[in-house]
Amino acid sequence: MIGLKEISESFLHLLFPHVCAGCGSDLISEETPLCMRCLAEMPETNFHLYNNNPIEKIFWGRLPLVNATAQYYFTKESLIQHLMHQFKYKGNKELGKQLGRLIGISLQQSEHFKNIDALIPLPLFPAKEKKRGYNQACILCEGIAEVMKLEIFHDVVVRIQNTDSQTKKGRIERWQNIDGKFELRNAGKIRGKHVLLIDDVVTTGATLEACGQELCKVDGTKISIAVLCYAR
Ligand SMILES: [Zn+2]
């Protein structure tokens, strides 16, 4: 016999259908934003399982890291690009949190990420965060924290908007200025700790490097990096 609960759930589904953020197909449960088929199609790197992986190599000679990984390969015109777009520009925070959980599940299965003390989301420019309404790295952190039972430090490092005149500077210097200004706050919080720096995508690694350099200034702080996507 169909119970009242089933009827009201079906009715609610008719009124407010929940569909997969990847392919748009009907979802039975609203607990996950992605269907099983899309989940199976996600281009996992499995970098978290081995050392000297391509993400670690990006930072060789630039930033001392304990470990580094990216959960997925980023390719154009793909499922992951579609998901990134919804997460970053369409306000789908629940999807972002789920992607964070997927990172967390991978990290939990790895020997290399066992001794993390806290998560640090790569800060956005305050103006950008205000416009978007959220920092996508913070949303990823929420998902990861839920799985790994870790604290998130939001106030250890901030991103500084450069207000100097940019016009007199060369192109390289200007670019460094735009991307590369972070400032430590509350350094004591991470003293002697192993922190995991989180961002949505890594390409050249310049921004993560600049942020990591600030964290490195604190005595005995160890840094690892985990990002959602690796764009080659
Ligand atoms: Zn789907």
Side-chain angles (χ1 to χ4, degrees):
M1 208 178 109
I2 304 169
L4 192 63
K5 187 172 174 281
E6 283 78 6
I7 293 170
S8 58
E9 268 180 7
S10 313
F11 187 63
L12 275 173
H13 185 76
L14 273 175
L15 287 177
F16 310 102
H18 26 268
V19 295
C20 171
C23 64
S25 69
D26 254 14
L27 287 174
I28 300 156
S29 156
E30 59 183 322
E31 275 156 30
T32 161
L34 288 168
C35 75
M36 294 303 280
R37 207 185 60 183
C38 282
L39 273 176
E41 266 180 40
M42 299 286 273
E44 285 177 24
T45 65
N46 286 317
F47 289 162
H48 59 286
L49 299 176
Y50 61 96
N51 284 126
N52 303 332
N53 66 51
I55 308 302
E56 289 185 11
K57 285 181 185 172
I58 290 175
F59 297 98
W60 278 0
R62 296 164 67 184
L63 185 67
L65 294 175
V66 181
N67 282 294
T69 187
Q71 177 77 358
Y72 302 113
Y73 289 107
F74 181 88
T75 47
K76 287 194 172 156
E77 315 292 331
S78 67
L79 170 66
I80 197 77
Q81 185 183 28
H82 178 67
L83 296 179
M84 286 280 276
H85 185 76
Q86 290 198 53
F87 167 40
K88 280 176 79 169
Y89 305 109
K90 299 283 175 187
N92 195 342
K93 287 192 265 185
E94 201 37 59
L95 170 64
K97 207 168 160 187
Q98 178 64 14
L99 294 170
R101 287 187 202 105
L102 293 168
I103 298 174
I105 291 165
S106 289
L107 298 183
Q108 246 185 350
Q109 290 164 352
S110 168
E111 284 302 312
H112 306 304
F113 294 86
K114 286 256 183 280
N115 304 309
I116 305 289
D117 295 305
L119 305 171
I120 296 183
L122 189 109
L124 275 183
F125 290 116
K128 201 166 185 178
E129 184 167 345
K130 206 173 167 195
K131 197 174 163 213
R132 185 171 294 166
Y134 57 93
N135 174 356
Q136 67 271 18
C138 293
I139 307 290
L140 291 173
C141 280
E142 285 174 21
I144 300 168
E146 196 183 297
V147 175
M148 298 182 82
K149 311 284 176 236
L150 289 169
E151 205 178 338
I152 308 168
F153 290 160
H154 292 281
D155 56 353
V156 166
V157 64
V158 291
R159 199 154 175 179
I160 306 297
Q161 194 92 45
N162 194 298
T163 50
D164 296 352
S165 166
Q166 298 282 315
T167 48
K168 280 176 266 168
K169 299 186 175 107
R171 198 165 64 92
I172 300 288
E173 196 189 345
R174 198 157 62 221
W175 171 76
Q176 282 172 337
N177 261 304
I178 289 165
D179 255 9
K181 281 208 126 192
F182 291 88
E183 226 171 73
L184 262 181
R185 305 276 157 90
N186 306 308
K189 255 177 136 168
I190 60 166
R191 191 157 291 132
K193 299 247 167 79
H194 183 183
V195 295
L196 184 62
L197 189 55
I198 306 295
D199 202 8
D200 56 344
V201 62
V202 64
T203 310
T204 65
T207 319
L208 282 159
E209 180 192 351
C211 185
Q213 291 295 353
E214 282 298 302
L215 301 176
C216 270
K217 291 177 181 169
V218 184
D219 268 352
T221 298
K222 288 185 285 186
I223 304 164
S224 287
I225 286 176
V227 298
L228 180 64
C229 290
Y230 171 37
R232 282 167 292 184

